[in-house]
Structures are given as structure tokens and as C-alpha cells.
Amino acid sequence: MTNFKMNIDKLRLPLLGKEATIKRKKNCMTQCLRNWIPTRLFPHRISNLKILILAVLIVVLIIIPIYYYRLSQFDLKYININYSTRPTPNIRCSMINGPRLPQNHDHKTEARLRSDPKVLVFVETMYSKLGKDIAELLVHTRIKYKIEVAGKSVPVLTSLDKGKYGVIVFENLNKYLQMDKWNRELLDKYCREYFVGIIGFINPSEETLVGAELKGFPIFIHTNIQLKDAALNAASQILRLTRPGETVWGPLPGDDWTIFQANHSTYEPLEWAHKIDDYGHEGLMKTPLTTIVQDHGLFDNIQRVIFGSGLKFWLHRLLFLDSLSYLSHGQLSLSLERKFLIDIDDIFVGDKGTRIKPEDVSAMLSTQRRIQNMVPGFKFNLGFSGKYYQHGNPDEDKGDDLILENIDEFRWFSHMWNHQQPHLYDNLTQLIDDMNLNKNFAKEKGIPFDSGYSVSPHHSGVYPAHELLYTAWKRVWNIRVTSTEEYPHLRPARLRRGFIHRNIMVLPRQTCGLFTHTIYIDKYPGGRDKLDESIQGGELFQTIVYNPINIFMTHMSNYGNDRLALYTFESVIKFLQCWTNIKLSSDTPLQLAESYFKLYPEETDPIWGNPCDDPKHQKIWSKNKSCDSLPKFLVIGPQKTGTTALYTFLSIHPSIASNLPSTETFEEIQFFNANNYYKGLDWYMNFFPVDVNSSRYMFEKSATYFDGDLVPKRVHALLPHTKLVTILISPAKRAYSWYQHIKAHGDTIANNYSFHQVITAGDTAPKPLRELRNRCLNPGKYSQHLERWLTYFPPQQLHIIDGEILKSNPIEVMDELQKFLKITPQFNYTGHLRYDEKKKFYCQVLNGERTKCLGKSKGRHYPPMEEKSLKLLQRYYLSHNTALVKLLKRIGMRNVPQWLQDDLTDSPT
Ligand code: A3P
């Protein structure tokens, strides 16, 4: 406050100087004018009063415009801040110190054990607006759900005597009320038996209803009403996240609200509002109208919450989450704890005139103290770029110094020394040198540098990962945590996630609506109302409600000028206190990261996307990298079906090129299925050097991709348009070939147990034997694995080769494959492949004469499979093979392979 006053005084000083001059001028004015006007012209003496009037006129007409002109010039040059408009966080609420949580705040009851924490959402259509809002809210809060289009039959509701859904939601309650008798009874029976509640929304109808009965219930509705001033029933047991006591003053969004009237004790209002034109008599409002009603289940033993409007009104989003929690008996409850960190990137970075001054630093400190009272452990987290220290005007340089005088008041992390984007470095030494400059600056100024946290300018190098950045971070700063908005993409924000790469935890980062250049409230994009809306129930408020751990990005410029960051955060924290029971606290980035990955362990593994699919990612990707360094098709296996033969035949093609060989796994890279995935995208792309002289069709073959659980998901993330090639032979034969293969490689278990012993090993067999059995048999469950691929890729991208035809007629197979890959002109394999009598397989023709066959390990000689093993496997694979036939027909494969027909007909029943 003192600083603010000081600032105003400083501003006034030059004005006072001018005012004094004007006064002096005015005093001499009459005398001077008297002397100046020649008496010859005016022989009669002019009266003092007239001279005074003349003088005033001169002042008004000449001096004042000049004065204001000069003042405006002064303004433009030195005063960037319009102090009259700088916003103050004056959010107040009557209940701020009132009781915080209702008694039954965790909603837990015994019934919770009977159904899964999952929501079944009946939508009108797959595209309906409210349905989408509901799904997005569930994604944001990571609540599991299943969408069904209402009107069709009810999906299976139970599994092994357990309910599959904890709450059922109807986007349009009418669809529930008008369900056919059979389905309605089924659903109601499920709700009663498993204590599952229903949430329903009354959809706006074209026809205005007045006192219409909700079909079959003692409750009446009035529709299409405009409302204002919403408040909550403080006695409601549903309230948990939401805190009652306040009123949302003013008109509520939309003119199509429904209100409820009931005269049965099962109904209790949750939310009320007033008609827009309700001014009451003598200033007294009429009785409020119920806009959300709770049905306690006293009428038909099913609990419900019915909303008179959708999720457009921010408060309904909170009440929807509370209803889910209440009706699921606490199973679908969000924690009330929220961790909160505000990064201030770009400390010392910024143009003259936009940086922070001493009074801004004082304001930061006093706001920080106030926030600390509301958010225990809170400190602004400052990211510095030392190169730009003292690069402002004199006042701003003092601001830099005042920050450093208060080092201990803040948390600190290193930005880049010169704010350079790390992806622009292709030289590790240069990157390390620049980081060291910042480290030396930190040492010199006494800035702590052991937080283990860093943020990269513009997210560059974090995702898409620039491996040099990860290496340099580790070496110079021992970084263990960073954060980005870019993983997997900036938008939609609800899908932002974390991952761990090279032992560095990458946390998702949230935006607050302030960017480097949003520094004046009157220039806020969309106007001040937009920022206030975001704070008061809108995007920023909801971000904190939905995310248990929040790291916000702000910039130094947001703390100078109109200090919008101070305003925004203090306001939103106060608003959260008014309307929610959320407990905010803060921590170090390292502790936040540890909490995050404890909460979401499934996010540990990264998913590498294609940087070229996102223009923002492409901007922060090295110019030396290219998406041409990625394969256009993959041969995915499974093992022992002829994949090496296919790989070799493809490599003969003049327009097709395979990856460079791996030193460990030879022709196979095995990126998507194994630990190589953690080596990152750069590692993978190094196998596909771009040949500027030819544009060959690049491919990769790794036979273990076929049955890898995570592989389809990972491939789809990086190569969504890739074509997939698989080869299938009889799964029984494949299992036997695989056994012979690993036996030949000296596997001790395979050498100690016969094939029959391996495939018949029971659950009590030694673990290594059971593991070998699984590795032998699992890849042959073709339908299961193909279904997984088909959840990510359309059938048009998948080509299935019959491995028996590959053996007997590879030329036909290669012709078909080229057609599928749309490779023109087609390469004629006739003169390039020849059957080799000795090898008993097709081999590559060299110089039109000799043939080059695959090595000894392909097309091995081993005794035929025992009949008993064959029969056993045919029976074992029967259900899988039957499912495979169905799948092949479904995806349009006209001819079912002969081996598949044989396996099915020969299988003992
Ligand atoms: P066997 O060695 O059991 O006969 P993969 O390359 O996927 O490991 O598959 C090896 C299998 O490819 C061999 O299994 C063999 O049957 C089959 N194959 C198909 N065409 C071949 C070819 N032209 N030369 C050698 N093996 C071929």
C-alpha cells in the first residue's frame, strides 16, 4: 500500500511543477498584459477586471491545450499503467468463515460395495450437446463412464453378481420416463437391487409446459422459464464439494429452465432461483422456485437427482459431481484436496516498459502473504533467465534488485540462460554451456538451484522430446521434474496428462488465461468480463475443481503493469473458498510430481505422438528432424509365420526400403513393444535416415508387435495412418515352429521339456515352464490380438497374408501386397524369386543365376508335430479360430484360409 502511494506521489511531482509555473504566470498576467497593450491603441484605460478576463481566456485557449498535450506525451512515454482501472480482488462472500463441510461429507454407505465406480450415460444421440458436456466433465475428472444412445436396448448391467455401474445418467429424463415397459423394469430393478441412483436432466422442449406431471411421479414441472439469483439448500445431504450459503446474483444462463413443484415428502430441493421478473411486493421476493430436486426414493425406492437445466450454468457442474458422489454412495467422489503451484516464467525477461518495478515486487509479496493464509505452503515459483537481469529501465532494474533482495521469500527454478528454445540446439556442449551460464548467475546472486525443477521456454524440447535437453538438464541441474501444456496436446486441456522420461517427471501444466502480452485489464482479449467469468465459476475455477494437482503458468509481465496475475489468483482462490469445500495447499514441484504419479501410476509411460500432426509441436521440433524419418507401413508379425521371408522380399523392391539394422536385434527394431520405446522418438527415427535423392517407401518389421498389449495404442499415437501387414498360419503349427526355434537357440526349459509337456503344463507347473507355455501359445490367439489392433485402426489399413501362400506362391502375395500399399509402378517379382529344391522354399535370385536363401534358422528341419499335440492345440484354439473366421468375414476378407478351415474341421469336439 505504501509503495502504491509512493508511486502516485512520484507521478504527481512533475505535475506539481507545472501547476506551480501556471500559478506564477497567472499572477504576473494582469501586470504583463497591462504593460504589453499599447495605450495608443486603447486610449481609455482598460479595467483590471477586463484584463483578468482576457488573461483567463488566453490561458484557456492556449496554455491549457499545450499543457494537456505535453501531459499526454509524458503519459505515453512514462506511464504505462492506467491506475484507475487496475483490478482488485474484491470477491467477498458471507460464509467465508462459516461452517465448511456438511456432516455426511464422504457420502459413504455400505451399499457402495455392490457396484463398480463407473457411470452409465444415456444420451439422445452421439452428438447431442448436453451429452457431450457430461462426457467431457467425466473425462476431466477422470471418472469412468460408458455412453449409450437412449431408446435402444439397455446394456448388460451386471457382471458376476456385481453391478457394472454406480450411477445412471439420462441426458434427457424423458427417455427414461418413456422407456418401454420391459427395459424400464429391468433398469429400475437394477437400481433397486444394487442401490444405484439416477441423475436426469429435463431437456428444453419447444412447447411450454405449465404444471405438467412427470409421467408416473407426484411431481409437476413448468418449463421454458427465465430465472435469476440461484441459491442452494444448505440442509441437502448431496452437498459435499459444493458449499452452500452464497447466491449467484443476476440472470442465469438460458431462458429454458424447468422448475419443480411437488407435494410428496420424497422430494427435497437442492437449488432454488427466482423468476427473472420477480420483484415481489414491497421489495420482498416471492418464494424461490426449485430448479434441482432430490428424490429420496421414498416413492419407489430409487434415489434420483433431477436437474431443471443442463451444465451451461457453472454451479450445475459442481452439483452434478456432488450428485454422482451421493448416488454412488461415495464411490464416485473426487478428493477435496487440491495442490496448487504458480510458476512465474521469464523472471528478468521482458521488454522495457513491461517489466516489474519495486512497487510490483512489494505487491507480489503482500499478495503472497494473503494467499499463504488461504493456501498453506504457498510461494510463487520463479523461473529466471540470468542473461536479461538489469535489462529494463532504471526503475525496472530496481525491481530486479528487489526480487533478489527477497530471494528467500520465493521458490526458484532455472529457465534457459538466454531464453533460447532448447530444440534449436543440435549440439549438447553448447546447450550445457548455456545452462551453466545460468547456473553461475544463480551462484553469484545466491539463488537456490537445487529444486530439481525446470521449465523450458515455450515447452520446447519437453514434448516432443528433444533428447539433448533431457541429457543437459540431468547433467547441469539434476532436473527431476518439469511441466508442459503440450502433452499430448495443448487442447483440449482436459486431456493433458503427465509422463516420465529419462527419469524426469513431466507434469501437466494449466493455463490461467494470462499470456506474456495480456498485461492490461482494459486490453484483455474479450474484455474484463471474460477474465472475471473464468474466475467466477468459469474455466480457471473449474480447472482447479477438476484437477487434484495444478501447476499454473504465468509470466513476469503479468505481475507488473496491471498485475493481472495477482488479481486473478487471489480472486479465484477466494471464489473457491466461497463456493467449495476444497482444501487448497501448495508444495515443492518435486513433492507435487511424486503425489501426481502416486495418484495416476498408469501415466508413468509416455505415449509418443507424431510431431507433424500438431502445428504447435512442429514449431518446437528441431529443423534437422523430419517426419519422413518414419515408416509408412509395418509388418507386425506374429513370430514364425514367415516374417523374415517377407522382409527379405520387400527389401528387393527398388522403391521400398527397410530400417537400418539394429546392433542388438538385427533387422528388427522392436520399438513399440519393449524397453526401446523408452529411448524416445529420436532413437527410433535414427533407423530411418532420409535419403534426399530418392523417396523410398520405408517400412519396419518387428514380429513381436502382433501380440504386444500396448503396441496398437503406441503405433496409433505415432503413425495413425500407417498400413499394417500381418501373416497368419495355423496357430498350432506356429506354436510348434516357435518351440523348435527357441530350442535351437539353447533355451534350457525347451531343451528339458518336450513340446507336448510345454503345451500341457498346468497351473501348478514351475513358473519358467508356465511362462514358456504362455509365450508359445498366446500369440496364436489371433482374433484377440487382431481385435485390439482394430480398436485403433480401420480394417482398410490392415492387410492379412496367408502364410501358406507366402510359402507356396510368394509372387502372388507380393503382387497383392503392392496393390494394398498402392505402390506404382508394380515391381515384377517373377525373375527375382525362385523355388529352391534344396531349401524347399522360395529364395532370392542373384544375377539371374544363383539363389540366395534365408539362413538355416528359417525353414528348419525338425520332426513333425506329434498327432496328440496337434489335436490338443486344434481344440485349444477352436474358439479363437471360430472368432477369427467371424472377424475375417466382418472386415471383408473373401477367402477364409485353407489352414483355418482345416484346423476347424479337424478339431476334436
Ligand atoms: P520354420 O523354420 O519353422 O519352417 P519367421 O521369419 O517369422 O521367424 O518365420 C520363419 C518361418 O518362415 C519358417 O519356419 C518357414 O516355415 C517360413 N517361411 C516362409 N517362407 C520362407 C522362405 N522363403 N524361406 C524360409 N522360410 C520361410
Side-chain angles (χ1 to χ4, degrees):
M1 199 62 207
T2 346
N3 283 304
F4 182 72
K5 261 196 185 143
M6 259 174 51
N7 194 39
I8 295 277
D9 289 344
K10 249 193 244 162
L11 285 167
R12 276 194 187 141
L13 274 179
L15 306 190
L16 284 175
K18 281 180 209 299
E19 274 165 13
T21 320
I22 294 162
K23 236 181 177 176
R24 268 201 310 277
K25 273 188 184 151
K26 200 175 137 193
N27 285 339
C28 86
M29 196 73 75
T30 44
Q31 194 53 45
C32 301
L33 270 175
R34 195 184 288 280
N35 297 339
W36 179 71
I37 298 168
T39 32
R40 263 173 291 130
L41 292 178
F42 296 94
H44 309 289
R45 300 281 300 180
I46 307 167
S47 75
N48 273 358
L49 184 69
K50 281 179 184 162
I51 286 174
L52 196 67
I53 292 168
L54 198 63
V56 169
L57 261 172
I58 290 169
V59 168
V60 169
L61 293 173
I62 303 170
I63 300 179
I64 291 185
I66 291 173
Y67 166 71
Y68 276 107
Y69 172 71
R70 293 201 46 200
L71 180 65
S72 69
Q73 293 302 301
F74 173 85
D75 253 336
L76 283 177
K77 217 160 156 198
Y78 300 105
I79 311 171
N80 280 317
I81 303 161
N82 185 350
Y83 286 91
S84 60
T85 60
R86 179 183 282 161
T88 46
N90 52 0
I91 292 198
R92 284 191 186 88
C93 48
S94 45
M95 294 295 289
I96 200 112
N97 296 315
R100 293 204 65 85
L101 273 175
Q103 277 178 349
N104 180 25
H105 75 274
D106 66 0
H107 288 160
K108 286 202 170 118
T109 70
E110 281 306 306
R112 75 184 200 277
L113 302 169
R114 302 217 49 207
S115 62
D116 280 337
K118 195 172 172 185
V119 185
L120 175 61
V121 186
F122 284 100
V123 291
E124 287 241 65
T125 70
M126 274 309 189
Y127 311 100
S128 39
K129 171 80 179 81
L130 178 56
K132 260 170 97 183
D133 285 352
I134 295 169
E136 283 177 11
L137 181 52
L138 295 173
V139 169
H140 221 140
T141 46
R142 302 174 197 230
I143 293 174
K144 287 197 197 120
Y145 67 96
K146 180 181 164 65
I147 296 274
E148 277 291 318
V149 176
K152 297 186 180 164
S153 54
V154 172
V156 179
L157 297 169
T158 54
S159 144
L160 299 174
D161 203 33
K162 209 177 170 202
K164 286 175 90 174
Y165 307 99
V167 175
I168 294 171
V169 178
F170 278 88
E171 178 196 6
N172 181 355
L173 190 75
N174 245 342
K175 295 279 172 189
Y176 169 70
L177 300 175
Q178 279 160 14
M179 241 177 187
D180 63 83
K181 200 166 168 257
W182 167 265
N183 281 321
R184 173 68 183 274
E185 270 172 17
L186 191 78
L187 197 71
D188 282 357
K189 190 166 173 271
Y190 171 75
C191 289
R192 280 186 205 107
E193 219 163 278
Y194 291 88
F195 303 100
V196 165
I198 293 176
I199 298 177
F201 293 86
I202 306 281
N203 258 27
S205 57
E206 278 176 18
E207 174 193 9
T208 298
L209 305 172
V210 181
E213 190 181 20
L214 269 194
K215 194 180 162 200
F217 293 96
I219 187 163
F220 302 89
I221 58 169
H222 303 250
T223 63
N224 291 338
I225 302 178
Q226 255 181 298
L227 297 171
K228 65 177 179 186
D229 306 343
L232 300 171
N233 171 11
S236 172
Q237 291 273 299
I238 292 176
L239 300 176
R240 176 179 172 273
L241 191 71
T242 326
R243 190 164 175 250
E246 305 302 323
T247 302
V248 180
W249 297 108
L252 302 178
D255 54 4
D256 47 13
W257 284 64
T258 295
I259 57 119
F260 303 90
Q261 270 179 336
N263 52 8
H264 193 287
S265 58
T266 192
Y267 297 109
E268 183 187 359
L270 171 59
E271 182 192 66
W272 295 290
H274 288 269
K275 265 196 171 168
I276 198 87
D277 50 5
D278 176 8
Y279 301 109
H281 296 291
E282 292 153 12
L284 286 173
M285 292 287 232
K286 285 186 193 154
T287 321
L289 308 166
T290 302
T291 47
I292 302 178
V293 71
Q294 177 185 2
D295 174 352
H296 283 282
L298 306 176
F299 181 70
D300 67 349
N301 277 330
I302 298 175
Q303 295 207 39
R304 299 180 186 84
V305 180
I306 309 173
F307 284 67
S309 174
L311 298 178
K312 228 188 299 169
F313 181 33
W314 64 268
L315 190 56
H316 283 194
R317 292 170 180 256
L318 264 65
L319 295 170
F320 178 74
L321 293 174
D322 275 347
S323 304
L324 284 179
S325 164
Y326 181 82
L327 295 174
S328 68
H329 310 276
Q331 285 196 103
L332 290 164
S333 299
L334 302 187
S335 154
L336 294 176
E337 309 280 336
R338 298 287 179 282
K339 303 255 185 207
F340 187 82
L341 183 74
I342 301 173
D343 283 353
I344 310 182
D345 290 359
D346 302 353
I347 290 291
F348 308 127
V349 184
D351 293 339
K352 275 185 191 169
T354 63
R355 298 160 64 109
I356 48 177
K357 303 189 180 99
E359 56 271 21
D360 300 318
V361 179
S362 306
M364 267 170 82
L365 287 165
S366 44
T367 302
Q368 177 167 286
R369 276 191 289 275
R370 286 197 299 278
I371 294 184
Q372 277 164 354
N373 288 332
M374 302 183 274
V375 184
F378 178 80
K379 275 182 176 187
F380 285 113
N381 196 26
L382 272 50
F384 61 95
S385 291
K387 184 176 175 187
Y388 300 105
Y389 170 65
Q390 301 261 301
H391 271 53
N393 61 36
D395 210 14
E396 291 169 338
D397 288 350
K398 283 187 204 146
D400 286 0
D401 284 336
L402 193 55
I403 291 187
L404 292 183
E405 278 167 37
N406 287 284
I407 282 176
D408 295 340
E409 298 292 328
F410 303 113
R411 294 189 213 283
W412 290 87
F413 67 91
S414 169
H415 224 27
M416 287 291 287
W417 156 251
N418 47 5
H419 208 254
Q420 172 91 305
Q421 296 172 321
H423 77 273
L424 299 174
Y425 292 80
D426 288 315
N427 178 320
L428 182 64
T429 320
Q430 181 66 47
L431 184 57
I432 287 179
D433 286 352
D434 278 1
M435 281 188 187
N436 273 325
L437 287 174
N438 219 25
K439 193 171 183 179
N440 292 339
F441 171 81
K443 278 185 192 159
E444 190 190 306
K445 301 292 175 197
I447 298 174
F449 50 81
D450 56 355
S451 70
Y453 179 66
S454 187
V455 169
S456 169
H458 307 121
H459 314 273
S460 146
V462 177
Y463 188 81
H466 189 55
E467 301 303 332
L468 296 190
L469 172 66
Y470 282 79
T471 310
W473 260 350
K474 272 273 165 233
R475 284 210 204 148
V476 179
W477 298 97
N478 192 21
I479 294 305
R480 297 194 45 212
V481 193
T482 182
S483 57
T484 184
E485 294 162 5
E486 294 296 338
Y487 178 74
H489 300 283
L490 176 69
R491 302 236 169 254
R494 65 181 172 278
L495 292 180
R496 269 179 231 160
R497 297 289 183 260
F499 66 96
I500 303 178
H501 183 47
R502 294 186 185 267
N503 232 352
I504 293 182
M505 295 179 272
V506 183
L507 289 176
R509 202 164 156 81
Q510 281 83 34
T511 36
C512 62
L514 301 178
F515 305 96
T516 319
H517 301 295
T518 34
I519 54 180
Y520 300 117
I521 192 70
D522 54 3
K523 296 203 179 85
Y524 189 82
R528 176 178 179 161
D529 284 354
K530 191 146 184 248
L531 180 60
D532 285 340
E533 201 184 292
S534 171
I535 293 167
Q536 298 178 30
E539 191 175 332
L540 177 59
F541 169 82
Q542 284 172 38
T543 299
I544 302 173
V545 171
Y546 303 152
N547 289 306
I549 288 163
N550 297 271
I551 299 192
F552 284 102
M553 185 181 71
T554 60
H555 302 275
M556 185 174 78
S557 51
N558 307 133
Y559 293 80
N561 312 294
D562 272 357
R563 300 178 192 152
L564 294 184
L566 298 182
Y567 166 72
T568 302
F569 285 105
E570 194 174 345
S571 303
V572 78
I573 291 166
K574 284 180 174 172
F575 198 80
L576 280 158
Q577 288 205 324
C578 291
W579 280 101
T580 73
N581 288 309
I582 279 172
K583 289 179 215 125
L584 284 170
S585 65
S586 192
D587 242 326
T588 63
L590 198 57
Q591 281 162 327
L592 290 189
E594 272 158 13
S595 311
Y596 184 90
F597 288 103
K598 216 179 265 170
L599 264 178
Y600 305 118
E602 70 283 0
E603 283 181 31
T604 311
D605 281 0
I607 291 280
W608 307 123
N610 188 336
C612 299
D613 288 346
D614 183 331
K616 279 205 83 207
H617 290 176
Q618 227 174 342
K619 264 193 203 150
I620 49 171
W621 209 37
S622 165
K623 287 210 165 45
N624 295 339
K625 298 177 191 175
S626 152
C627 290
D628 292 339
S629 297
L630 287 170
K632 286 208 174 58
F633 73 97
L634 302 180
V635 178
I636 57 174
Q639 284 180 297
K640 308 316 294 172
T641 55
T643 55
T644 317
L646 183 67
Y647 174 88
T648 312
F649 301 162
L650 282 166
S651 303
I652 301 171
H653 198 296
S655 327
I656 297 178
S658 68
N659 52 279
L660 296 178
S662 150
T663 45
E664 287 151 32
T665 43
F666 312 105
E667 85 255 13
E668 299 203 349
I669 306 179
Q670 298 186 4
F671 175 65
F672 294 103
N673 59 323
N675 285 342
N676 287 336
Y677 194 69
Y678 305 118
K679 292 181 180 161
L681 193 51
D682 290 0
W683 180 88
Y684 184 54
M685 293 201 331
N686 283 337
F687 285 97
F688 301 95
V690 179
D691 183 351
V692 280
N693 300 318
S694 76
S695 58
R696 294 211 290 173
Y697 214 84
M698 279 196 281
F699 82 102
E700 189 227 326
K701 181 277 273 194
S702 295
T704 41
Y705 286 170
F706 181 78
D707 52 301
D709 280 347
L710 295 170
V711 179
K713 183 180 174 183
R714 287 174 172 178
V715 171
H716 186 258
L718 183 64
L719 307 164
H721 308 296
T722 191
K723 294 192 170 167
L724 306 165
V725 180
T726 177
I727 311 168
L728 303 181
I729 59 170
S730 157
K733 221 168 149 184
R734 197 215 70 85
Y736 188 54
S737 167
W738 185 85
Y739 168 82
Q740 294 297 344
H741 173 74
I742 56 145
K743 191 174 168 178
H745 274 76
D747 183 278
T748 40
I749 306 289
N751 276 302
N752 285 339
Y753 293 91
S754 71
F755 179 60
H756 198 74
Q757 282 171 320
V758 171
I759 60 172
T760 51
D763 289 345
T764 50
K767 198 169 170 230
L769 180 57
R770 276 183 286 133
E771 279 172 359
L772 190 85
R773 176 201 64 194
N774 295 343
R775 284 171 58 212
C776 180
L777 296 179
N778 284 350
K781 298 170 182 172
Y782 296 149
S783 58
Q784 235 173 53
H785 303 301
L786 286 174
E787 287 295 2
R788 197 171 41 236
W789 283 97
L790 288 169
T791 54
Y792 291 93
F793 291 91
Q796 296 80 351
Q797 279 174 246
L798 176 70
H799 183 68
I800 300 175
I801 292 174
D802 180 338
E804 292 303 332
I805 303 182
L806 178 68
K807 263 184 230 165
S808 61
N809 191 353
I811 293 167
E812 181 193 313
V813 165
M814 296 315 286
D815 285 349
E816 287 299 313
L817 181 55
Q818 288 182 83
K819 269 189 219 146
F820 166 73
L821 296 172
K822 295 200 171 72
I823 290 183
T824 48
Q826 274 224 5
F827 180 68
N828 187 353
Y829 274 91
T830 315
H832 298 272
L833 298 178
R834 189 189 302 150
Y835 186 76
D836 187 290
E837 287 298 342
K838 223 163 118 205
K839 180 78 179 175
K840 306 261 182 270
F841 281 100
Y842 272 82
C843 301
Q844 185 183 351
V845 179
L846 296 176
N847 308 324
E849 278 301 316
R850 279 184 312 117
T851 50
K852 186 182 165 215
C853 298
L854 299 187
K856 274 194 210 130
S857 63
K858 308 291 166 185
R860 272 197 187 89
H861 296 288
Y862 43 78
M865 192 182 347
E866 286 179 286
E867 189 62 16
K868 62 174 182 185
S869 300
L870 178 65
K871 288 287 164 220
L872 190 139
L873 287 179
Q874 282 173 334
R875 194 181 318 125
Y876 177 83
Y877 285 119
L878 180 63
S879 61
H880 301 284
N881 283 343
T882 312
L884 180 64
V885 173
K886 278 192 195 151
L887 183 149
L888 296 179
K889 286 195 174 144
R890 194 180 81 218
I891 64 171
M893 195 160 160
R894 263 169 279 137
N895 304 322
V896 173
Q898 191 56 49
W899 57 260
L900 182 52
Q901 295 179 36
D902 295 345
D903 267 2
L904 284 169
T905 40
D906 295 351
S907 162
T909 43

